[in-house]
Amino acid sequence: MKYDVVLIGSGFGSLTAAALLAKRGLQVCVLEQAKYPGGCATSYKRKGYWFETGATTLVGLDEGMPLRYLLDTTGIRVPLRQLEVPMQVHLPNGQVLTRYGNLEEWIAEAERVFGSHNQRPFWKHCYRISQQVWHTSLQQRSFPFSAPKDLLRAALRVRPGQLKLLPAAFRTMEEVLRKYGLLHNQLFVDFVNEQLLITAQNYLEEVNELFGATALCYTLYRNYYVPGGLINLVRPVEAYLTAAGSTIRYGQQAQRVERLPDGYRTTTNKGSFESRYLISGIPLNNTLKLFQDEKLQQRLEPYLMPSEQLNGAFTMGLVLKGEEPPKVLHHQVHIPEGLPVTGGKSIFISFSDPADVQRAPAGEMVASISTHVPNPGHLVLHDKAVLEEAILEALARQGLLMRENIRSLQSATPGAWIFWTHRAYGAVGGYPQYKHIKPWQMKDARLDHHGAYVCGDTVYPGQGIVGVCLSGIIAAEKLVQDHL
C-alpha cells in the first residue's frame, strides 16, 4: 500500500501533523520504534505503575495557543484536571516559592521572596511578551520562511503588534534583567537560570527575550494534569487517526529514506513503506542519518548541534507508599553546591495525583525525577548510586519525601535514553536556545523542498509539548500549501 504521508516517529509534533492531515482525508501512516505513542510526551508502564517518560505537565490549552487549536480543529477530547498551583520552587536560601497561576498573586509572591524592586514591571513585561508571542505564533504559520510564498502569506497576516516583537529577538534575558536592575539580585538570577533551563534548555545570557519571557511565564497559563499519565494525551490522537482510516505501526525503527520519482520509500527494521510525502518527527541529528542525498545532508549540516551544545537527563522513577499526599504536584529544588558527577544545580520532581488510581493503587503514588546532564554524549555516569543518593538526600531535606516510604526505585542515564528512544547522544528537551541563533535562523518545516518535511523539538519553535505541537501544525500547513 502506498500512503499519502508517512511520518517517522510518534512524538507529539508528528501526532499533531498526522491528525491535521488525516482530517483533510489523507491516508497517514506513523512509524514508531517503541511500543507506546508520544515520544518524550507519553508514559510507560513498569510493574503495574505508569511513569512519565519525559514531560510531566501540560500547557497550551488557552485561547489562541497551539494545543487548543489542535483539539478544536479535530474535535479530539483529552481527560484533563487543571492545577490550582502549577509549581513550587525550593530556593538555595531555604525559602519555598509558589508559582501561582494568577499574575497578581505571582507578582506578590515574587516580591515577597526577591524583594519589591522592579519585580512588578519585569513580570508584567514578560507576560505581555508571552501573550504576543503565542498570539503571533498561530497567525504566522509560514514562519520561519524558506520559500517566497511564505513571505507573501506572512505579509497578508501581518499585524502591527507582531512587528513590535522583532527587537526582542536581539535581546537576551540577561539584558532584560539588566534593564530592570535585577542582575545584582543573585537569588533571583539563580531562580531565572534554573527556570530557563527546564523550559528553554539554556541560561539567561543565551536565551533571547522572545523565548525567555515566554518560557518564564508558562506557569501563568493554565497548567493541567492528565489522569492516567500523558499516555492519555496521545491515546486520543491515536484513536482519532485510526477512526480516520490511518494508522500507527509500532516496533518500526526507521533505517533509511529514499526519494522516488513520485514520492519516498522509508525502510525500517521490519519492511518498507512508500508515500507521496514524508514528515520526520525525530531529531535533526537522527533525521540526517536516514538520507543518503548529499545535497540534503549539506543543507542540514549547519542546523545540527553537537553533544557539547545539548543536554541529556538523569531520571528516576519512584513508587511511594504511605507518603503524605503533596498539595502541589510539581517541584523544582535548587542545589547550590551542585550534584555529584553532573554538576546540576536543580532537580525537578513530579508526583502523581494521589486520587489517580490509574497510575498507582490507592494509598500509593509514583514520582518522576529528572536533572540535566550536560554534553550527554561524553559524560559517562559509571556509578548511578552516588547520584541517586545525592538526589534522594536533597528531596528528603526539603521534606518532599520520606525515604522509608520508597517502595521501589529505578533510574536511567542518557545511555538509557539512547537505548529507549534512539535520540542522538541521549539528548532530551530539544535544541537549547542560543543568542546567535535567531528564530528565523532555526530549521523550518521544509526538509528537502520536494515533499519531505520535519517537525519536533529540534526545529522551530523548539521545546515542550506546546512547542512541538506548533511545529506539527506548521509542517502540516506547509505540506498542504505546497502540494494540495
Side-chain angles (χ1 to χ4, degrees):
M1 177 181 179
K2 185 169 183 176
Y3 296 94
D4 292 316
V5 188
V6 159
L7 295 98
I8 300 172
S10 70
F12 204 75
S14 286
L15 291 179
T16 296
L20 294 173
L21 294 171
K23 180 176 172 57
R24 295 185 66 91
L26 277 68
Q27 293 295 304
V28 174
C29 177
V30 181
L31 304 176
E32 170 55 51
Q33 59 89 20
K35 61 181 180 179
Y36 299 124
C40 293
T42 190
S43 314
Y44 65 94
K45 193 174 187 180
R46 180 164 294 180
K47 297 182 179 179
Y49 299 89
W50 283 95
F51 298 91
E52 302 294 33
T53 301
T56 57
T57 188
L58 188 63
V59 296
L61 284 156
D62 294 76
E63 193 65 33
M65 295 180 75
L67 191 54
R68 176 81 277 145
Y69 171 86
L70 171 67
L71 299 186
D72 288 348
T73 300
T74 59
I76 294 171
R77 294 291 175 260
V78 176
L80 298 168
R81 182 176 77 79
Q82 186 175 347
L83 298 175
E84 291 184 19
V85 176
M87 179 187 190
Q88 285 186 323
V89 181
H90 301 252
L91 297 169
N93 65 358
Q95 287 185 285
V96 177
L97 176 72
T98 300
R99 294 226 58 182
Y100 293 106
N102 175 274
L103 178 61
E104 286 300 319
E105 285 185 282
W106 163 240
I107 290 173
E109 177 74 347
E111 290 180 332
R112 179 187 72 82
V113 173
F114 300 118
S116 60
H117 177 68
N118 276 351
Q119 287 292 321
R120 174 171 292 277
F122 172 81
W123 287 106
K124 289 182 79 70
H125 171 78
C126 287
Y127 186 58
R128 184 173 63 255
I129 292 287
S130 72
Q131 287 180 307
Q132 293 170 340
V133 166
W134 286 123
H135 191 61
T136 299
S137 66
L138 281 177
Q139 289 178 332
Q140 292 292 354
R141 297 195 290 273
S142 296
F143 188 85
F145 311 135
S146 62
K149 54 191 168 187
D150 290 340
L151 292 168
L152 176 60
R153 292 189 177 98
L156 294 174
R157 294 174 175 175
V158 74
R159 302 291 182 273
Q162 297 170 8
L163 299 176
K164 293 179 181 179
L165 288 173
L166 188 60
F170 294 90
R171 289 191 292 264
T172 66
M173 287 306 298
E174 182 178 46
E175 293 173 276
V176 178
L177 263 69
R178 182 178 293 112
K179 172 185 174 182
Y180 287 98
L182 294 169
L183 275 181
H184 69 280
N185 188 334
Q186 193 59 49
L187 186 66
F188 184 64
V189 169
D190 291 342
F191 162 76
V192 168
N193 269 330
E194 294 308 313
Q195 288 281 286
L196 286 175
L197 189 60
I198 61 174
T199 48
Q201 297 294 309
N202 218 329
Y203 299 111
L204 57 82
E205 63 268 20
E206 289 288 351
V207 180
N208 70 54
E209 184 180 8
L210 284 178
F211 286 105
T214 305
L216 288 177
C217 289
Y218 86 96
T219 52
L220 296 174
Y221 295 86
R222 286 178 289 181
N223 283 233
Y224 293 90
Y225 177 87
V226 182
L230 285 171
I231 186 71
N232 289 329
L233 166 67
V234 295
R235 286 295 192 200
V237 184
E238 179 187 43
Y240 179 86
L241 291 172
T242 302
S246 296
T247 185
I248 302 180
R249 294 180 178 267
Y250 296 102
Q252 301 282 347
Q253 175 65 43
Q255 298 176 337
R256 185 173 67 258
V257 174
E258 303 165 79
R259 188 176 160 210
L260 305 175
D262 60 347
Y264 298 85
R265 179 187 295 118
T266 303
T267 301
T268 74
N269 57 321
K270 294 184 177 179
S272 62
F273 302 82
E274 292 191 8
S275 59
R276 292 165 59 201
Y277 311 111
L278 176 88
I279 297 178
S280 175
I282 61 178
L284 285 177
N285 302 68
N286 297 85
T287 297
L288 180 69
K289 295 177 182 179
L290 297 178
F291 290 83
Q292 305 304 311
D293 185 329
E294 289 187 12
K295 288 185 178 179
L296 176 59
Q297 290 183 338
Q298 291 172 359
R299 190 181 298 131
L300 277 183
E301 194 69 36
Y303 294 102
L304 302 182
M305 287 189 185
S307 174
E308 291 80 3
Q309 293 180 297
L310 302 174
N311 292 305
F314 180 80
T315 59
M316 296 172 63
L318 307 180
V319 175
L320 302 168
K321 187 172 184 179
E323 190 76 21
E324 183 70 23
K327 294 181 180 178
V328 177
L329 298 182
H330 305 295
H331 298 259
Q332 186 185 43
V333 178
H334 287 212
I335 312 293
E337 69 276 15
L339 289 166
V341 187
T342 68
K345 296 294 183 72
S346 65
I347 304 164
F348 195 83
I349 180 169
S350 293
F351 296 93
S352 64
D353 189 322
D356 187 355
V357 294
Q358 296 178 69
R359 294 185 63 190
E364 298 183 14
M365 297 183 296
V366 296
S368 299
I369 301 167
S370 63
T371 186
H372 283 78
V373 176
N375 195 0
H378 296 277
L379 183 58
V380 180
L381 302 177
H382 295 288
D383 189 355
K384 294 195 299 182
V386 172
L387 196 48
E388 290 172 351
E389 174 62 26
I391 289 171
L392 293 177
E393 174 61 29
L395 296 174
R397 192 165 58 241
Q398 294 296 329
L400 289 172
L401 56 79
M402 298 180 66
R403 299 182 66 161
E404 59 266 30
N405 293 333
I406 299 174
R407 181 172 175 177
S408 70
L409 179 154
Q410 56 183 315
S411 63
T413 67
W417 278 93
I418 295 175
F419 179 76
W420 289 337
T421 69
H422 298 275
R423 290 174 66 101
Y425 312 117
V428 296
Y431 280 179
Q433 301 293 329
Y434 284 96
K435 64 182 177 183
H436 69 278
I437 302 175
K438 305 296 184 265
W440 52 87
Q441 295 173 311
M442 299 176 74
K443 182 69 190 86
D444 88 302
R446 291 189 186 93
L447 191 56
D448 64 359
H449 288 262
H450 291 289
Y453 298 81
V454 64
C455 63
D457 60 9
T458 61
V459 302
Y460 175 85
Q463 303 84 2
I465 294 176
V466 65
V468 298
C469 179
L470 178 58
S471 77
I473 293 169
I474 293 172
E477 176 144 329
K478 289 195 174 184
L479 188 156
V480 169
Q481 291 172 350
D482 291 347
H483 302 285
L484 302 178

